[in-house]
Amino acid sequence: MQRRWGFRVLGSLQVIDDGRIVELRSAKQRVLLAALLMKANAPVSTYELMEHLWGEEPSGAARATLQTYVMRLRQSLDDLADRKLVRTWPTGYSIHVEDDQLDLLTFQRLRAEARRAPDLETEARLLGEAAALWRGPALDQVSSLRMEQTDVQRLNEQRWEVLERRNDAELQLGRHDQVVDELRSLVAEHPLRERFWYQLMLALHRTGQQAQALDVYRRAGEVLADELGIDPNAELRALHMEVLAGSSAPVAVQAGPSWLPPAVGDFSGRADEVARLTAGLRSGGTWTITGPGGVGKTSLAVHCAHVVRDAFPDGQLYLNLRGGEQKPVEPAAALDRLLRGLGVSGGAIPSTVDDRVDLYRDLLSDRRILVVLDNAVNEAQVRPLLPGTTSGAALVTSRAALAGLEAAHVVPLDVLPPSDALALLRAAVGEARCAAEPAAAQQIVTYCGNLPLALRVAAARLVARPHWQLAKLAGRLSDERRRFDELSLGDLDVRASLALSYDGLDESHRAAFRLLSLVDTPDFPAWVASPLLGLDPDDAEDHVEALVDARLVDYAGRDALGQVRYRLHDLLRAFGRETATEDPAVALRPLFEQWLDLAMRADAELPHQGVRLDPVALEPFDLGDAAEWFDAEWQNVHAVINQAAALGLGDLAAELAIRSMAFCDLRARFDDWEQINCLGLSCAPADRRPMLFQQRGILRARMHDYAAASENFQAAQEGFAAAGDVWGEAYAWYGMGWMHEWGGRSAEARSAHREAMTRFAASANRHGEIEVLCSLGAIERRAGGLDAASEYLQRARLIAREMGDEQSELMATLELGRLHQFTGELELSVSLLRSSLAAAQKLGDPDLAANVRLFLADTLVRSGVDAAAEEQLEQAWDFFEAHDDRQGRIWVWRLRSGMAHSADEALRLASLALESAREMGSPPEFGRSLRVFGNALERAGRAREAREQWRLAEETLTAAGFQAEVEELRMATS
């Protein structure tokens, strides 16, 4: 039977076995156990444990030593075999205990139950039970500097907060005598906690011990003056006046209460918000600052309140409504605090909320008082606390939108702009230090996601460690697994701030947040939550909107399809992933399959050249224009391909890469195409590799790397043939024939195209037949067989029209336009090429459109319309430059050389074309460029050199099978 251990941390660390305290003699073992117990039932990262044990710079052997300590701890707890108590995680370790096994868990449960208590008696009892669990300072005699600065301080503060609440409850129940002695001990132990002084003074006053109460006030004043240099707070001062008056009658309101927290010394940025808020507050009314946790709402509110203090001479009230905690401040309690601050004695405060509101607003009437209500939970909590007149002003901060707060002016707050975020870091750390390491400073800002709270924590760590270089902290923050450990210092804790929003959700919404955080996409539409959660789209959208309300997800606008899009801040994404227990590969597969289904259906409606996938039965695409859907979703589709591959879902990654090829081709996204194709080949199942090789060959052809393209098409052909895929093999043969064309090997091109045509016919692929006919028409045009070329192209155009295949008809029309250029029918050529250009633009294919503009410009030059030609060349050039298209640039240089206004300019442009064609290794392009270079030499008066270039051009074009261009050259130079 497994032993049931008990653990105590509320005092000295104790391990209990069957009522007997077991001593852990190793100091490091006690630190390790304490660190695990502080986060019981949750993984603690290896990095955090090492820092607890050895400080911020553990040795290289620390990880192995930690493993030894874990083994020894398991041995001490008789857990070596089962490992059910101390468990191993990919990122660290955890200890698993029930509430009654750990006093801390019992304490936290009692605190939470007390906040929900139905009556004061129950609340007092529960708080008393929680306080009784303490045996001394938390984790006494556990030696860990990090634990002392974080966990110990936090726990001890919770202890005093419980005692303060318990004392308040006992005093409200009239048990003044029962708490006096303990309060005397508490003020002696904690002389700087004004609340304990107030409670002791009130207990003495209520039991008729006025002199002793006045002496308590005197001693409190001396301690606060000596230790902190401050006077007692407004609450103590008001009670002092009540005691002096000797009764519970209302006390005159003090002039000018000032409860504002200290001004933020290094406040920077937010210039627009500060200007709007300060001007607005001076005019009066209610102003709200809304935004997610850690975004700087409180800092902005306090800063603005200090700026406008002169406009509110009758005072500034500040109240933390604790909206992010399990039990926010109730309006009744808030009014009690505010009334006391305005000088009303406790006995004169009405019992009902409505009466308190009336008295509060009566006291504020005609007074210039600013009320700052921080961390509001909702409108109902805020409304009773707002001034009832326009003489004062109210400033409210909240994570909620507070959209229902009547007549309020809303100032939404997001993370800082990059420049302001960097300015905040500089102001806190020092200009010189940031200037010495500008790159590291920028990295820190990036890792902090421009979130002010995270930046302040990072800056505090650097200020506390002046010997650190900024690059050291940047390096530690770069590891997402330990980022939140680095962004925690004292009571500044980014993880805890974000957890407030997360903990307030029900489990289904927490699950939605965790799962969405696992997705690598930069943004997402609401439907993404549907496959993740197994909900219908409407319920999924409701879950996403609930996360927006909780400030865990941001609204990111609408895409071109009209879909609302959402996003997660980088730190929230990291927090969600830290919280998640789901296996990403299992959890995300349904979503990735949904994205693949949409991509497949969209891809089926896109134009394809060089390869079309064997048709499969698919539901119609019903999300609008397929290309526009890909435009809107491309960053997400690209991210999903990468993430699926990283998670071992290679089948999904490869198929999604395949189904994205036509879009990349259509939109000339060659860099993206290269990346996803390489990734697909690295993880694709064997039966999909030939298709990826085929698509890679088309990409290489688009980039004019014909040798590489030929190798890819050959690999595809071999793979398709081995699999018995006649459809795919036909396209591979077509690709090889296409490369023979561009390599000037006309006989080989014809042979390969015949192989392709045979297989297209065998697989009933008429689209493929059209592509082969267009290529054969181009080959015959170049060879001078113009009648045969016309026959091929007219047949291709007729089949395309019969099938309603717009892209295939476009290609046939384009080739006919080029054919009529050679036959001298320039007007008909221009008409056909303009029609092709319009079709390419309609399809949204910028690569094809740019190339059609070249052919159109060539025809316009031949027609003597240079101005119209130059207009087409300018637009084509922009595309070729943006995509580093060498062949396109060569064509533009050649055409502009013929249009140049001077011989020198013609020669310069022809030289550029010739050198680039030589480097490109394409015989047809080199031959054409030799011809134009010869033309430029002749224009420059260098006839002998010109004839030599024309001779070389004729030889090159003849060898390439471009006989029609050879004949044209001979006619032009004879």
Side-chain angles (χ1 to χ4, degrees):
M1 181 176 178
Q2 188 176 8
R3 296 158 73 177
R4 185 172 173 83
W5 297 88
F7 303 93
R8 295 175 182 170
V9 296
L10 304 181
S12 60
L13 176 64
Q14 292 182 349
V15 179
I16 302 168
D17 179 19
D18 195 22
R20 178 178 58 88
I21 296 177
V22 178
E23 183 179 358
L24 294 180
R25 296 180 180 179
S26 166
K28 294 295 188 185
Q29 207 171 115
R30 288 198 299 273
V31 171
L32 173 60
L33 176 59
L36 293 173
L37 291 171
M38 284 300 95
K39 295 183 177 179
N41 303 318
V44 185
S45 73
T46 300
Y47 299 103
E48 183 176 341
L49 292 172
M50 290 192 297
E51 190 166 342
H52 280 306
L53 288 163
W54 295 288
E56 293 170 348
E57 297 193 20
S59 68
R63 187 182 295 270
T65 306
L66 171 62
Q67 293 172 347
T68 301
Y69 285 153
V70 171
M71 181 195 69
R72 290 175 180 171
L73 178 61
R74 284 173 169 150
Q75 189 174 30
S76 299
L77 299 176
D78 194 21
D79 191 43
L80 270 178
D82 294 336
R83 300 194 176 193
K84 292 183 178 179
L85 190 60
V86 179
R87 303 181 186 177
T88 302
W89 293 80
T91 58
Y93 301 92
S94 65
I95 190 165
H96 286 254
V97 293
E98 303 294 333
D99 282 6
D100 61 348
Q101 290 180 269
L102 176 61
D103 57 357
L104 174 57
L105 295 180
T106 305
F107 175 72
Q108 291 171 337
R109 175 179 57 77
L110 290 169
R111 283 180 70 217
E113 289 178 0
R115 291 186 182 280
R116 300 190 297 269
D119 53 64
L120 202 59
E121 184 71 46
T122 304
E123 182 180 8
R125 176 180 60 78
L126 291 169
L127 291 170
E129 291 176 13
L133 293 169
W134 287 78
R135 298 167 287 106
L139 292 173
D140 197 18
Q141 299 180 357
V142 173
S143 180
S144 168
L145 180 60
R146 172 173 177 144
M147 216 171 299
E148 290 173 11
Q149 293 176 338
T150 54
D151 299 313
V152 171
Q153 289 184 14
R154 173 175 54 83
L155 284 179
N156 287 334
E157 184 61 35
Q158 290 177 2
R159 178 189 185 186
W160 310 135
E161 177 256 342
V162 162
L163 284 168
E164 288 174 353
R165 287 168 54 199
R166 191 277 313 270
N167 294 338
D168 281 340
E170 296 287 0
L171 290 169
Q172 290 180 58
L173 290 167
R175 299 168 183 165
H176 310 104
D177 290 333
Q178 298 179 25
V179 295
V180 167
D181 289 342
E182 185 176 1
L183 283 166
R184 289 187 191 279
S185 299
L186 288 172
V187 297
E189 293 176 25
H190 308 284
L192 301 184
R193 294 190 76 87
E194 292 173 275
R195 187 66 185 169
F196 287 153
W197 288 108
Y198 171 84
Q199 290 172 337
L200 176 57
M201 189 175 170
L202 181 62
L204 292 168
H205 173 48
R206 295 281 173 83
T207 56
Q209 302 179 66
Q210 312 306 327
Q212 291 91 331
L214 292 172
D215 183 59
V216 168
Y217 181 78
R218 177 189 60 77
R219 287 190 290 120
E222 290 174 353
V223 170
L224 293 171
D226 290 344
E227 296 293 332
L228 302 177
I230 62 173
D231 294 327
N233 63 22
E235 185 178 52
L236 274 168
R237 295 197 305 270
L239 181 56
H240 180 228
M241 293 184 67
E242 182 178 331
V243 174
L244 286 174
S247 72
S248 59
V251 181
V253 176
Q254 297 282 316
S258 183
W259 289 4
L260 295 179
V264 183
D266 58 354
F267 187 89
S268 61
R270 306 292 194 196
D272 292 342
E273 291 86 352
V274 169
R276 184 182 176 199
L277 283 167
T278 52
L281 289 170
R282 291 181 188 280
S283 300
T286 300
W287 293 78
T288 65
I289 304 173
T290 65
V295 81
K297 301 182 294 294
T298 298
S299 295
L300 176 62
V302 171
H303 176 76
C304 292
H306 277 280
V307 171
V308 300
R309 283 184 65 174
D310 61 310
F312 300 95
D314 296 324
Q316 308 89 41
L317 298 170
Y318 172 89
L319 193 60
N320 185 349
L321 297 177
R322 304 188 183 281
E325 299 182 13
Q326 288 185 346
K327 188 175 181 182
V329 177
E330 296 291 338
L335 287 164
D336 179 272
R337 178 82 174 97
L338 291 168
L339 288 169
R340 290 176 187 273
L342 291 169
V344 179
S345 65
I349 295 175
S351 59
T352 69
V353 172
D354 289 343
D355 289 341
R356 290 182 183 185
V357 171
D358 291 342
L359 177 58
Y360 170 65
R361 289 179 176 166
D362 182 58
L363 291 172
L364 292 183
S365 64
D366 300 323
R367 294 180 183 275
R368 293 288 292 164
I369 287 182
L370 173 64
V371 180
V372 180
L373 303 172
D374 200 13
N375 292 320
V377 64
N378 55 32
E379 295 89 339
Q381 185 191 35
V382 170
R383 284 194 188 98
L385 312 181
L386 298 176
T389 66
T390 58
S391 58
L395 180 56
V396 185
T397 75
S398 178
R399 298 189 184 202
L402 299 183
L405 205 59
E406 298 82 357
H409 307 277
V410 180
V411 178
L413 214 57
D414 201 348
V415 296
L416 289 167
S419 58
D420 285 356
L422 192 57
L424 189 155
L425 185 67
R426 286 174 178 153
V429 175
E431 185 68 39
R433 200 168 171 189
C434 288
E437 297 181 80
Q442 186 59 62
Q443 286 175 338
I444 291 171
V445 168
T446 300
Y447 291 134
C448 289
N450 296 358
L451 189 72
L453 175 60
L455 287 165
R456 291 197 177 280
V457 177
R461 289 182 74 82
L462 290 169
V463 169
R465 296 162 177 79
H467 56 287
W468 271 21
Q469 289 187 321
L470 270 63
K472 180 179 180 65
L473 179 59
R476 294 166 76 104
L477 290 172
S478 67
D479 187 344
E480 190 176 280
R481 294 172 300 175
R482 65 179 296 175
R483 187 171 301 163
F484 286 108
D485 296 331
E486 298 297 328
L487 295 177
S488 174
L489 188 68
D491 62 347
L492 294 176
D493 191 335
V494 176
R495 180 191 281 111
S497 174
L498 302 181
L500 288 175
S501 296
Y502 175 79
D503 291 341
L505 300 171
D506 61 38
E507 178 49 35
S508 67
H509 292 107
R510 285 199 294 266
F513 171 69
R514 292 194 304 270
L515 291 168
L516 287 170
S517 74
L518 296 176
V519 186
D520 279 346
T521 59
D523 59 29
F524 56 90
W527 67 259
V528 164
S530 177
L532 285 175
L533 296 169
L535 299 174
D536 65 57
D538 289 340
D539 286 343
E541 183 173 6
D542 289 343
H543 276 65
V544 175
E545 287 292 345
L547 296 178
V548 172
D549 293 340
R551 299 306 175 114
L552 292 171
V553 168
D554 292 332
Y555 169 69
R558 289 184 181 271
D559 59 29
L561 301 177
Q563 296 180 114
V564 175
R565 302 191 77 83
Y566 306 86
R567 62 168 172 254
L568 272 75
H569 183 272
D570 288 346
L571 283 177
L572 281 165
R573 187 191 303 276
F575 172 76
R577 291 182 174 186
E578 183 182 79
T579 308
T581 57
E582 296 84 354
D583 181 340
V586 175
L588 297 182
R589 188 175 188 98
L591 171 61
F592 292 172
E593 288 174 345
Q594 179 68 51
W595 244 309
L596 175 58
D597 175 69
L598 291 170
M600 289 175 67
R601 290 192 277 143
D603 178 57
E605 297 198 0
L606 293 180
H608 295 66
Q609 186 180 7
V611 61
R612 289 176 188 250
L613 299 179
D614 200 347
V616 294
L618 294 170
E619 293 292 325
F621 187 72
D622 55 2
L623 295 179
D625 181 82
E628 289 181 1
W629 179 85
F630 261 115
D631 284 330
E633 290 292 343
W634 177 243
Q635 284 187 307
N636 290 342
V637 171
H638 194 179
V640 166
I641 294 170
N642 283 273
Q643 189 174 14
L647 292 175
L649 304 176
D651 57 331
L652 287 172
E655 196 63 32
L656 198 47
I658 289 170
R659 301 293 176 165
S660 300
M661 167 266 177
F663 169 73
C664 289
D665 193 8
L666 182 68
R667 292 292 194 254
R669 288 184 168 273
F670 299 135
D671 289 342
D672 287 347
W673 187 355
E674 170 81 25
Q675 194 268 334
I676 64 172
N677 184 268
C678 286
L679 194 61
L681 279 169
S682 72
C683 63
D687 63 327
R688 301 308 278 159
R689 289 176 61 81
M691 181 58 70
L692 285 159
F693 275 122
Q694 176 72 13
Q695 293 182 343
R696 188 167 190 77
I698 298 169
L699 171 61
R700 287 287 170 262
R702 294 282 187 267
M703 303 303 292
H704 313 299
D705 185 353
Y706 302 125
S710 293
E711 292 177 4
N712 292 140
F713 288 134
Q714 181 67 44
Q717 187 272 326
E718 292 171 0
F720 285 130
D725 185 343
V726 177
W727 178 288
E729 193 183 0
Y731 276 116
W733 276 110
Y734 171 66
M736 288 190 287
W738 191 18
M739 293 307 95
H740 286 311
E741 287 183 56
W742 286 105
R745 300 179 294 276
S746 298
E748 292 90 336
R750 289 188 181 92
S751 175
H753 286 323
R754 283 194 293 270
E755 295 284 352
M757 182 65 83
T758 300
R759 289 163 175 79
F760 281 134
S763 57
N765 187 341
R766 304 205 73 193
H767 298 287
E769 291 183 43
I770 295 170
E771 294 203 45
V772 174
L773 288 170
C774 287
S775 287
L776 290 173
I779 292 171
E780 294 305 326
R781 167 176 55 79
R782 297 180 191 121
L786 302 185
D787 290 339
S790 179
E791 183 180 342
Y792 282 132
L793 296 175
Q794 292 292 359
R795 183 179 162 198
R797 195 180 191 193
L798 178 61
I799 297 172
R801 283 182 173 174
E802 289 175 352
M803 297 180 62
D805 185 343
E806 293 184 2
Q807 187 201 15
S808 295
E809 184 177 353
L810 184 164
M811 300 309 298
T813 302
L814 171 59
E815 288 299 335
L816 280 169
R818 299 188 68 188
L819 173 64
H820 287 299
Q821 181 193 89
F822 269 87
T823 60
E825 300 167 278
L826 298 182
E827 186 174 344
L828 179 56
S829 176
V830 168
S831 175
L832 290 169
L833 291 173
R834 287 195 184 280
S835 174
S836 300
L837 177 59
Q841 290 173 315
K842 179 183 176 183
L843 287 172
D845 188 337
D847 183 26
L848 179 58
N851 281 280
V852 175
R853 289 185 189 280
L854 283 180
F855 309 143
L856 177 58
D858 193 357
T859 307
L860 290 169
V861 168
R862 294 167 186 261
S863 302
V865 193
D866 285 6
E870 178 57 32
E871 181 181 341
Q872 299 298 329
L873 290 177
E874 284 180 5
Q875 295 183 65
W877 180 263
D878 290 342
F879 175 84
F880 297 139
E881 276 289 272
H883 292 82
D884 192 26
D885 188 325
R886 291 180 296 166
Q887 181 167 302
R889 284 198 295 258
I890 292 169
W891 274 71
V892 173
W893 284 326
R894 286 201 302 255
L895 289 170
R896 281 180 169 165
S897 175
M899 299 161 57
H901 295 297
S902 70
D904 287 344
E905 179 66 5
L907 195 57
R908 183 185 72 82
L909 292 168
S911 297
L912 287 172
L914 183 62
E915 287 308 309
S916 188
R918 192 193 311 274
E919 293 173 3
M920 185 177 169
S922 169
E925 295 306 319
F926 185 57
R928 290 163 175 162
S929 298
L930 284 168
R931 173 184 172 180
V932 171
F933 187 56
N935 295 345
L937 287 170
E938 182 188 43
R939 185 173 174 183
R942 298 158 62 180
R944 185 180 60 80
E945 295 174 71
R947 285 192 296 274
E948 177 61 20
Q949 297 302 313
W950 291 332
R951 185 187 65 77
L952 291 172
E954 182 176 335
E955 290 178 0
T956 304
L957 291 171
T958 299
F962 283 38
Q963 196 59 39
E965 294 187 36
V966 171
E967 295 299 327
E968 186 179 54
L969 171 60
R970 288 172 178 167
M971 290 178 60
T973 58
S974 59

